[in-house]
Amino acid sequence: MSKLVVVGTVAFDAIETPFGKTDKILGGAATFIGLAASHFNTEVGLVSVVGGDFPENYLTMLQDRGMNIEGIEIVTDGKTFFWSGKYHNDMNTRDTLATELNVLADFNPVVPEHFKDANVVMLGNLHPAVQLGVIEQTKDADLHILDTMNFWMDSALDLLKEVIAKVDVITINDEEARQLSGEYSLVTAAKKIHEMGPKYVVIKKGEHGALLFHNDEIFFAPALPLEEVFDPTGAGDTFAGGFAGFLASSRDYSFENMKRAIIYGSNFASFAVEKFGTERMQTVTNDEISKRLEQFKALTKFEINN
Amino acid sequence: MSKLVVVGTVAFDAIETPFGKTDKILGGAATFIGLAASHFNTEVGLVSVVGGDFPENYLTMLQDRGMNIEGIEIVTDGKTFFWSGKYHNDMNTRDTLATELNVLADFNPVVPEHFKDANVVMLGNLHPAVQLGVIEQTKDADLHILDTMNFWMDSALDLLKEVIAKVDVITINDEEARQLSGEYSLVTAAKKIHEMGPKYVVIKKGEHGALLFHNDEIFFAPALPLEEVFDPTGAGDTFAGGFAGFLASSRDYSFENMKRAIIYGSNFASFAVEKFGTERMQTVTNDEISKRLEQFKALTKFEINN
């Protein structure tokens, strides 16, 4: 079986949306990525760090979903990373209320021996230095995929550019693509980001779908139009998890297969937003995913004889 | 041959974008709609009004492109409708600098005898009272398509609702769909607008594509990702023109064919924004349209065995 390494936060989130408010619940990029990727036929190994306050039953849940948690360091006298945010009424914008790095501040990622020969490495949102550390431990991987955020563009751009130069695929949102490239047009932005290193550039547009760029080829996957978006937290990570999980299980890194991976990413993301935090991703079944895939096909399929 | 009636403004526009600025140039909803629709195998009849200041050569151009202008009333002692606007840097928002109704203020549309049995009627953006007048003169049409704007929702909502109740298809943008329905989710908004009358609801999202709703079925057409959007003026009308022209020429009003019509609408709109005003739409060839159609196919096509 193929192997997928996922590095990213395993964390506590406290979320407020127009629909309600949570206390500290399970969150984190690696958590969402892993929950999606574990639906595929690939070994998923998480690399992260939590504090002594992190509940045992969360770790058990990750294992029960088929993830290998050997790479999750537990700092018993430390506290788990905590993020708190409040979404505006349009659900497209949010304010960060609190960010407590805690054990993340001194995180030195160690990829378990068993995962050093992983086929695919998914670098979830984290300090570029941590992402760089994981790349160095997985040099033989077929594919390195990078997810990042404007936060690192503001605070660690040079290091981030070093990471970008070393990866095969980058996934970022539209505003971040504009910030990184200095270009408003996403087509031009993707070209500039190509030149920084990645062969594939994925631009996530939230409810407006996602674009995949590869040389002069472009593929567009819509987001599923939903009656209700309950909580967008983790949607981008879930997208990345479906994308990476599918690629790792198929070991086919062609443009045609990247398209399928984007559709799987969008499919999983459409579930993630239906409930608070990871709740929906903990219960979604392969049958539900398969049914929704048919909706994605129907959504964009047309026949025109030209 | 089938017949398409187009009612809407034939006007002067003065446009400012980050790329430049125009004096008074040819514009108007019916102009853009007609320029797109005239590419199809259908007789296109414009119904509008202009003043004595409207250049003869503009009218000649419309005729040269195959449009019937019998229904364009010329008020020799009046002035042509004038709109002026300035786009912001993101090209998605604009300020209206001037709106001079002029001859539109007392416009009483008369559908020429030859077009009273039109197959399709495209009601371009105009006062709902004018749109209602055209509906009454084309009662036997297979299909009435309505385009409208938030301006009429603010100023003539009751009359607009009367028009909405009588049409088969409505095309509006996302913000207008939200305003008209009072719902944020476009899925829920489309349901409420269905209940007001139209069997088909088309929601235009500009650079984010367009959605087609019919009962519980949804189709999504992306906008073509472009390196440069030069002037978005008339893009929505051009979309409506491609949509209506294709439907009139095929006389097939099924959901499957509506999908094709949406793709044609998006295809034409992608040309309209490449130059100022109607400039690009006056020169675009069927060959260029056909080539771009292949790009639209490639953009969303994927194969997944579920």
Side-chain angles (χ1 to χ4, degrees):
Chain A
M1 202 190 287
S2 67
K3 295 176 192 173
L4 168 67
V5 163
V6 175
V7 61
T9 52
V10 172
F12 291 129
D13 285 347
I15 302 156
E16 194 174 337
T17 81
F19 298 104
K21 202 175 157 163
T22 71
D23 288 329
K24 279 189 178 184
I25 57 171
L26 175 62
T31 310
F32 282 102
I33 294 169
L35 282 169
S38 60
H39 281 269
F40 295 93
N41 190 32
T42 185
E43 278 191 78
V44 179
L46 304 190
V47 174
S48 193
V49 62
V50 295
D53 57 346
F54 196 72
E56 185 70 29
N57 64 324
Y58 284 173
L59 292 171
T60 311
M61 185 279 291
L62 296 175
Q63 283 184 297
D64 288 348
R65 303 281 323 165
M67 285 166 252
N68 181 309
I69 61 164
E70 211 186 317
I72 302 185
E73 184 189 346
I74 301 171
V75 181
T76 44
D77 60 348
K79 284 179 72 184
T80 300
F81 173 64
F82 171 65
W83 175 82
S84 169
K86 181 179 173 170
Y87 289 87
H88 301 167
N89 280 333
D90 68 1
M91 290 292 220
N92 283 324
T93 48
R94 68 185 185 191
D95 293 327
T96 289
L97 304 177
T99 307
E100 297 171 14
L101 279 184
N102 298 330
V103 292
L104 266 188
D106 304 306
F107 180 41
N108 191 13
V110 179
V111 177
E113 206 51 44
H114 179 66
F115 281 95
K116 287 213 158 99
D117 63 347
N119 304 80
V120 175
V121 178
M122 178 69 231
L123 304 160
N125 177 44
L126 256 184
H127 196 294
V130 173
Q131 297 178 320
L132 215 48
V134 171
I135 293 175
E136 275 158 20
Q137 295 172 64
T138 56
K139 281 199 192 299
D140 295 332
D142 303 329
L143 199 77
H144 285 96
I145 307 167
L146 170 68
D147 191 51
T148 188
M149 269 184 79
N150 50 0
F151 182 77
W152 307 114
M153 295 174 199
D154 296 334
S155 62
L157 186 59
D158 287 346
L159 210 51
L160 178 60
K161 283 190 173 167
E162 231 182 282
V163 178
I164 291 173
K166 289 180 194 290
V167 301
D168 306 285
V169 186
I170 183 172
T171 77
I172 43 175
N173 77 27
D174 41 3
E175 282 320 307
E176 290 156 358
R178 287 177 174 134
Q179 181 174 346
L180 184 61
S181 65
E183 293 287 342
Y184 186 80
S185 155
L186 296 180
V187 177
T188 317
K191 278 190 185 163
K192 290 217 169 167
I193 298 170
H194 268 313
E195 286 165 12
M196 298 180 186
K199 288 189 292 289
Y200 291 96
V201 177
V202 177
I203 299 182
K204 302 175 286 183
K205 303 199 299 168
E207 62 165 324
H208 299 304
L211 287 157
L212 166 66
F213 295 88
H214 175 58
N215 300 328
D216 287 333
E217 294 182 292
I218 310 180
F219 176 68
F220 175 81
L224 201 70
L226 296 170
E227 286 203 31
E228 197 172 277
V229 171
F230 198 79
D231 172 19
T233 310
D237 297 315
T238 305
F239 173 91
F243 179 77
F246 176 76
L247 289 174
S249 72
S250 62
R251 280 179 269 192
D252 171 354
Y253 314 110
S254 64
F255 183 66
E256 278 308 308
N257 208 47
M258 290 271 169
K259 291 186 190 179
R260 296 182 192 109
I262 296 269
I263 294 289
Y264 272 105
S266 304
N267 190 344
F268 280 97
S270 75
F271 286 104
V273 302
E274 289 183 344
K275 291 193 177 172
F276 268 124
T278 61
E279 203 181 332
R280 188 68 180 94
M281 286 308 294
Q282 288 190 43
T283 62
V284 65
T285 65
N286 287 339
D287 192 47
E288 288 175 310
I289 291 157
S290 172
K291 276 191 187 137
R292 195 159 284 184
L293 185 56
E294 293 306 313
Q295 286 181 266
F296 270 92
K297 288 184 183 181
L299 186 60
T300 54
K301 203 181 168 196
F302 67 92
E303 305 277 351
I304 297 182
N305 296 321
N306 196 1
Chain B
M1 203 192 286
S2 67
K3 295 176 191 172
L4 168 68
V5 163
V6 175
V7 61
T9 51
V10 171
F12 290 129
D13 286 347
I15 302 157
E16 194 173 337
T17 81
F19 298 103
K21 202 175 157 166
T22 72
D23 288 329
K24 279 189 179 185
I25 56 171
L26 175 63
T31 310
F32 282 103
I33 293 169
L35 282 169
S38 60
H39 280 269
F40 295 93
N41 189 30
T42 186
E43 279 190 76
V44 180
L46 304 190
V47 174
S48 193
V49 62
V50 294
D53 57 347
F54 197 73
E56 185 70 27
N57 63 324
Y58 284 173
L59 292 171
T60 311
M61 185 279 291
L62 296 175
Q63 282 182 301
D64 288 347
R65 304 279 323 162
M67 285 167 252
N68 180 309
I69 61 165
E70 212 186 316
I72 301 186
E73 185 190 345
I74 301 170
V75 180
T76 44
D77 60 348
K79 284 180 72 184
T80 301
F81 173 64
F82 172 62
W83 175 83
S84 169
K86 181 179 171 167
Y87 289 87
H88 301 168
N89 280 335
D90 68 1
M91 289 293 223
N92 283 323
T93 49
R94 68 184 186 193
D95 294 327
T96 290
L97 303 177
T99 307
E100 297 171 14
L101 280 184
N102 298 329
V103 293
L104 265 188
D106 304 306
F107 179 41
N108 191 14
V110 178
V111 176
E113 205 53 42
H114 179 67
F115 281 95
K116 288 214 157 98
D117 63 348
N119 303 80
V120 174
V121 179
M122 179 69 230
L123 305 159
N125 179 43
L126 256 184
H127 196 294
V130 173
Q131 297 178 319
L132 214 49
V134 171
I135 293 175
E136 274 156 20
Q137 295 170 64
T138 55
K139 279 199 193 301
D140 294 333
D142 303 329
L143 199 76
H144 285 95
I145 306 166
L146 170 68
D147 191 50
T148 187
M149 270 185 77
N150 51 359
F151 181 78
W152 308 114
M153 295 174 198
D154 296 333
S155 62
L157 186 60
D158 287 347
L159 209 54
L160 178 61
K161 283 191 172 168
E162 232 182 281
V163 178
I164 291 173
K166 288 180 196 290
V167 301
D168 306 285
V169 185
I170 182 171
T171 78
I172 43 176
N173 78 27
D174 42 2
E175 283 320 308
E176 290 157 357
R178 286 176 175 133
Q179 179 175 345
L180 184 61
S181 65
E183 295 286 342
Y184 186 80
S185 155
L186 296 179
V187 178
T188 317
K191 277 191 186 162
K192 289 216 170 167
I193 298 170
H194 268 313
E195 285 164 13
M196 297 179 186
K199 290 190 290 290
Y200 291 96
V201 177
V202 177
I203 299 182
K204 299 175 288 185
K205 303 199 298 169
E207 62 164 325
H208 300 303
L211 287 158
L212 166 68
F213 296 88
H214 176 58
N215 300 328
D216 288 333
E217 293 181 294
I218 311 181
F219 175 67
F220 175 82
L224 201 70
L226 296 170
E227 285 203 33
E228 197 172 276
V229 171
F230 198 80
D231 172 19
T233 309
D237 297 316
T238 305
F239 174 91
F243 179 76
F246 176 77
L247 289 174
S249 71
S250 61
R251 278 179 271 192
D252 171 355
Y253 314 110
S254 65
F255 183 67
E256 276 309 310
N257 208 47
M258 290 271 169
K259 291 186 191 178
R260 295 182 192 111
I262 296 268
I263 295 289
Y264 272 105
S266 305
N267 190 344
F268 280 97
S270 76
F271 286 103
V273 302
E274 290 183 344
K275 291 193 178 173
F276 268 125
T278 61
E279 203 180 332
R280 188 67 180 97
M281 286 307 295
Q282 288 189 45
T283 62
V284 65
T285 65
N286 287 339
D287 192 46
E288 288 175 310
I289 291 158
S290 172
K291 274 190 189 138
R292 195 160 284 186
L293 185 56
E294 293 307 313
Q295 286 183 267
F296 270 94
K297 288 184 183 180
L299 186 60
T300 55
K301 202 178 169 199
F302 67 92
E303 306 276 352
I304 297 183
N305 298 320
N306 197 358

